[in-house]
Amino acid sequence: MQTENWIEIEHDYYFQTGKRLPVILDHGEGTKVWDTDGKEYLDFVGGIAVVSLGHAHPVITDALTRQAKKLVTTSNYYYTVPQLKLAKLLCQSSGMDKAFFCNSGAEAVEGLIKLARKWGKEKRDGAYEIIVAENAFHGRTLATVTASANERYRAPFTPLVEGFVRVPYDDIEAIKSATTGKTVAVLLEPLQGEGGVNVPDDDYLPAVRRWCDEAGILMLLDEVQTGAGRTGKIFAFQHYENAEPDALAVAKALAGGVPIGAFMAKESCALLGKGEHGTTFGGNALACEVGYSVLSYIIDNDLPAQITKRGEHLERRLLSLVDRQPMVIEVRGKGLIWAIELDRPASEAIVERCLEAGLLVNAVKPTALRFVPPFTVSEQEIDRAVEIIDMVLAQMSEEQ
Ligand SMILES: Cc1ncc(COP(=O)(O)O)c(C=O)c1O
């Protein structure tokens, strides 16, 4: 069937909740994907920071087939080895004591919110307010969309969930001023992804940790986008001394594209008891076997070191655009999550032109493009991606 027919079918039968690009992707390998007409693209979107080992990586296809032939799911009425070995590995690599699995980032953050509410009831006189940040993104369930900042995502669904207080990001004094007897926790991304790739000052997370200790409240980190290696450490908080949270959420890159989410907590706040939380699909043997295989591969092959090195290369190449292309005014990021800020709202037009030229990138804001390639991306692929952006920006400047 022709591309146009599938686009019509999508229009007729699928909720129109987002803008899609006019291409049907068919298969991939490493950093490359191909559409149904056989055209090749470099994939610097990677399922939105998900495809950690690249497309069709043998570690993932082997784990999927091996486990699918044995057992896909059992429910959580029973023990399975893949779930428990991944729980242990996640706790060991994050410094947390307990893990719980779900199926997405939003569900993982929802778990943190429930954990904080329960902790507030038991340990802080019923306190329930959670301090969240401007430009935050935590997901699309009702509680996580309330915790998120984007009004467009929130307004259609009022009344929202009670108990969230918003402060500017990267501003410790604002957190201090917003803390009251009702506050139970601070919930933050260690580096904001959907908000435009905003990297806080080096002393922000340690200062949040110190304040949470002083005020007797929980520090919750949403590492859904940053966790499992993306920033050059297994978890982004590990870049700093003394920034360990009380609990954290992870998802996206953990199983390289197979849906999974998890939250982990220190024993002191791991208070969810029998019957107080649950899931049908969460922690299934298939997703956990893949998650375990991917995370073990990332750790055993020291991918964080490679991510740091490739990230520095990508940063250098993006900075070279600032010199050549007046439209690019800032470059920001860490590891393999980067954005370029533009002097005008041109990101969607650039994304369309890059698509034509064989590069997938994402308009994270009207004025910013985001780059989240697989951890296995090569320097040559980075050079080619930046060459395409350079060419597209040059064309657009000429046309003015
Ligand atoms: C920091 C953060 N938290 C939560 C989410 C929600 O994850 P999901 O889309 O898997 O529900 C995202 C997704 O982009 C995210 O970046």
Side-chain angles (χ1 to χ4, degrees):
M1 213 191 288
Q2 295 296 304
T3 304
E4 300 75 53
N5 298 94
W6 286 115
I7 290 174
E8 251 172 57
I9 287 172
E10 192 263 3
H11 191 268
D12 290 345
Y13 293 105
Y14 207 86
F15 272 98
Q16 300 292 299
T17 61
K19 185 177 168 222
R20 292 191 207 247
L21 291 154
V23 60
I24 300 177
L25 296 177
D26 182 68
H27 61 282
E29 194 182 333
T31 311
K32 294 185 180 132
V33 287
W34 287 264
D35 69 15
T36 43
D37 296 328
K39 182 173 167 184
E40 182 182 300
Y41 304 84
L42 267 179
D43 186 2
F44 274 55
V45 175
I48 321 184
V50 163
V51 183
S52 43
L53 303 188
H55 296 281
H57 194 287
V59 162
I60 296 177
T61 51
D62 289 355
L64 270 174
T65 43
R66 186 173 68 241
Q67 189 60 40
K69 282 182 193 165
K70 279 175 74 179
L71 193 61
V72 170
T73 195
T74 59
S75 87
N76 286 300
Y77 289 140
Y78 312 98
Y79 299 94
T80 65
V81 172
Q83 179 186 96
L84 301 172
K85 64 186 185 183
L86 181 56
K88 185 173 174 195
L89 185 61
L90 274 173
C91 286
Q92 284 173 339
S93 53
S94 62
M96 299 290 119
D97 298 313
K98 293 271 156 64
F100 186 93
F101 291 111
C102 49
N103 310 287
S104 66
E107 265 181 275
V109 180
E110 187 87 23
L112 293 184
I113 294 168
K114 289 177 75 174
L115 200 72
R117 289 255 176 127
K118 176 86 195 301
W119 186 85
K121 273 197 201 316
E122 287 195 14
K123 307 278 184 186
R124 202 172 144 79
D125 269 348
Y128 63 93
E129 271 181 11
I130 299 180
I131 298 176
V132 291
E134 285 172 9
N135 293 313
F137 184 74
H138 298 294
R140 304 289 198 143
T141 62
L142 207 49
T144 58
V145 90
T146 309
S148 302
N150 193 328
E151 235 358 83
R152 215 158 48 87
Y153 301 164
R154 296 153 44 94
F157 309 111
T158 54
L160 297 173
V161 176
E162 230 188 292
F164 291 89
V165 175
R166 197 165 305 283
V167 298
Y169 188 62
D170 199 13
D171 181 344
I172 184 64
E173 293 309 317
I175 290 178
K176 290 182 181 176
S177 313
T179 305
T180 68
K182 284 200 241 162
T183 310
V184 72
V186 179
L187 168 64
L188 295 167
E189 294 156 86
L191 170 164
Q192 291 184 324
E194 300 305 298
V197 187
N198 307 317
V199 186
D201 274 356
D202 280 351
D203 55 5
Y204 181 54
L205 290 185
V208 173
R209 177 67 276 172
R210 281 195 302 278
W211 175 247
C212 288
D213 287 341
E214 200 179 321
I217 57 178
L218 298 178
M219 175 176 175
L220 309 175
L221 285 183
D222 177 348
E223 292 239 20
V224 164
Q225 189 150 165
T226 53
R230 173 67 58 192
T231 68
K233 296 276 183 193
I234 297 297
F235 292 98
F237 77 82
Q238 292 164 338
H239 284 285
Y240 314 100
E241 281 206 5
N242 303 322
E244 189 182 71
D246 296 292
L248 80 159
V250 62
K252 290 194 184 267
L254 179 58
V258 172
I260 195 167
F263 60 90
M264 289 89 80
K266 286 286 196 193
E267 191 70 55
S268 54
C269 69
L271 296 181
L272 297 174
K274 294 249 182 294
E276 288 178 344
H277 199 48
T279 165
T280 300
F281 289 120
N284 67 79
L286 185 69
C288 288
E289 182 63 24
V290 181
Y292 179 78
S293 305
V294 170
L295 188 58
S296 302
Y297 183 87
I298 291 171
I299 294 169
D300 296 347
N301 293 282
D302 197 11
L303 286 199
Q306 184 178 317
I307 289 162
T308 303
K309 199 159 153 263
R310 296 283 145 75
E312 284 164 3
H313 185 74
L314 179 55
E315 179 183 19
R316 271 194 303 278
R317 297 307 319 271
L318 292 174
L319 281 170
S320 75
L321 288 177
V322 181
D323 301 332
R324 283 195 302 280
Q325 302 293 347
M327 217 193 272
V328 181
I329 54 174
E330 197 190 10
V331 173
R332 50 178 187 263
K334 210 182 191 100
L336 280 172
I337 173 166
W338 287 89
I340 56 175
E341 186 72 30
L342 308 164
D343 67 354
R344 68 199 73 173
S347 62
E348 289 202 8
I350 296 171
V351 164
E352 282 168 24
R353 287 179 186 227
C354 285
L355 182 78
E356 268 172 47
L359 172 67
L360 307 185
V361 276
N362 154 257
V364 71
K365 287 198 314 188
T367 56
L369 286 172
R370 172 177 47 180
F371 306 85
V372 275
F375 303 165
T376 49
V377 67
S378 70
E379 291 198 349
Q380 291 81 345
E381 287 166 337
I382 289 172
D383 291 345
R384 178 69 194 134
V386 177
E387 248 172 57
I388 292 175
I389 300 272
D390 205 1
M391 182 194 78
V392 163
L393 292 173
Q395 268 172 8
M396 288 174 82
S397 302
E398 266 171 36
E399 285 165 16
Q400 273 172 27

